Amino acid sequence: MHRVATHNETKVYNVSAGKSLPEWLSEAKGKSLKRDTEFRNRIELIQDLDFPSASNALKQSPDGKFLAVTGVYPPQFHVYELAMLSMKFERHVDAEIVDILHLSDAWHKYVLLEVDRSLEFHTQGGRYYKTRIPKAGRSLAYNELNCDLYTGASGPDVFRLNLDLGRFMKPLATTDSRGINVVRFASRHQLIATGGEEGALEMFDTRSQDKAGLVQVGAYVASELGLSSMPGVSSVTFKEDGLSVAVGT
């Protein structure tokens, strides 16, 4: 394992302390490293994974081979190929990116949610299309089964843009009047989960667009911890089987 030092309760990893693999090492010797615990626990760094000021969002492609990261300033996003530990391409945009989403299994298609209420679509050739939503967006989710792109925003509505028809559909109406912080889709049962500032976790069936359930997560957390105010839902994720869901506040 690499050496770890602690300064002011912050762990600092010395990534140069581990052993390196010589270029002249034989192929047979290299295969035996599969059983070397120290080699398997090594830290690998992705080259050029940095931004001038800060990074905002990070998403791994569905096939697990690529990483899309957004940052500032200027507003931009990078895509990295994990097998090569290097950047595949870099693109600059007009406004800061709030969220990024893969629309294909690999690196070929993306949609960007920007602070100026824009939805910007990119293909492997560059920017393909740009449109706007009525309110400032916060989170993206995509249902590849019916081509609906869901956008949570600063209001009770979750906007639906159908990428097959090329037009907006009737939005999902939540009970949260202050805004939807996160939207997540589970393909196993085709439910979409929304989490808002008022602490409600709501489920919608994307086949009928009807509400399937509601859990007052914020009220429960406030009651259990004795909080004076009710926390909002900030993150949601489904387990692969779709039967369990984790909620962050």
Side-chain angles (χ1 to χ4, degrees):
M1 293 291 293
H2 300 284
R3 296 176 182 174
V4 181
T6 303
H7 301 283
N8 296 328
E9 300 181 355
T10 300
K11 290 185 177 181
V12 178
Y13 294 84
N14 185 356
V15 296
S16 64
K19 298 178 180 179
S20 59
L21 184 65
E23 295 180 0
W24 44 263
L25 190 64
S26 66
E27 183 178 354
K29 178 64 176 176
K31 291 181 179 180
S32 68
L33 291 174
K34 294 180 180 179
R35 303 180 182 88
D36 189 328
T37 304
E38 183 177 356
F39 182 78
R40 293 182 64 181
N41 290 334
R42 71 195 185 280
I43 296 176
E44 294 184 320
L45 302 179
I46 300 177
Q47 302 299 313
D48 299 322
L49 206 170
D50 57 17
F51 292 88
S53 300
S55 59
N56 301 332
L58 182 149
K59 294 290 178 66
Q60 190 171 8
S61 62
D63 63 8
K65 297 180 180 179
F66 299 90
L67 192 67
V69 189
T70 71
V72 291
Y73 187 81
Q76 58 192 284
F77 76 99
H78 303 170
V79 173
Y80 300 88
E81 188 170 359
L82 299 180
M84 304 300 293
L85 294 177
S86 61
M87 185 190 300
K88 189 169 185 68
F89 65 83
E90 169 188 356
R91 291 179 187 168
H92 289 240
V93 294
D94 298 329
E96 185 174 342
I97 302 170
V98 178
D99 199 7
I100 185 170
L101 193 67
H102 294 261
L103 295 179
S104 62
D105 288 339
W107 59 275
H108 303 92
K109 297 178 182 179
Y110 298 90
V111 57
L112 311 177
L113 175 61
E114 300 174 353
V115 295
D116 62 351
R117 298 189 287 115
S118 295
L119 289 172
E120 189 169 311
F121 297 86
H122 284 250
T123 67
Q124 58 188 4
R127 187 170 74 179
Y128 178 75
Y129 183 73
K130 188 172 183 177
T131 187
R132 301 188 78 185
I133 55 178
K135 295 184 178 181
R138 300 180 181 180
S139 179
L140 294 171
Y142 181 59
N143 181 358
E144 65 275 8
L145 301 176
N146 64 6
C147 298
D148 271 354
L149 176 67
Y150 298 87
T151 306
S154 57
D157 294 330
V158 176
F159 301 108
R160 294 169 52 214
L161 175 60
N162 188 279
L163 304 187
D164 181 33
L165 301 176
R167 64 184 178 90
F168 283 96
M169 313 296 287
K170 183 180 178 180
L172 302 179
T174 72
T175 61
D176 198 313
S177 61
R178 295 169 55 189
I180 302 302
N181 295 326
V182 57
V183 288
R184 291 292 181 266
F185 174 73
S187 58
R188 184 60 63 103
H189 44 54
Q190 298 188 45
L191 292 181
I192 189 166
T194 69
E197 285 192 32
E198 296 177 357
L201 171 69
E202 300 181 61
M203 299 283 183
F204 295 84
D205 190 334
T206 59
R207 292 162 293 193
S208 62
Q209 312 306 326
D210 294 331
K211 184 176 294 185
L214 184 149
V215 180
Q216 292 291 352
V217 176
Y220 174 78
V221 172
S223 174
E224 288 293 309
L225 300 181
L227 303 178
S228 58
S229 60
M230 189 166 55
V233 174
S234 58
S235 60
V236 176
T237 186
F238 285 99
K239 196 175 180 180
E240 289 185 1
D241 60 7
L243 299 180
S244 301
V245 60
V247 182
T249 62

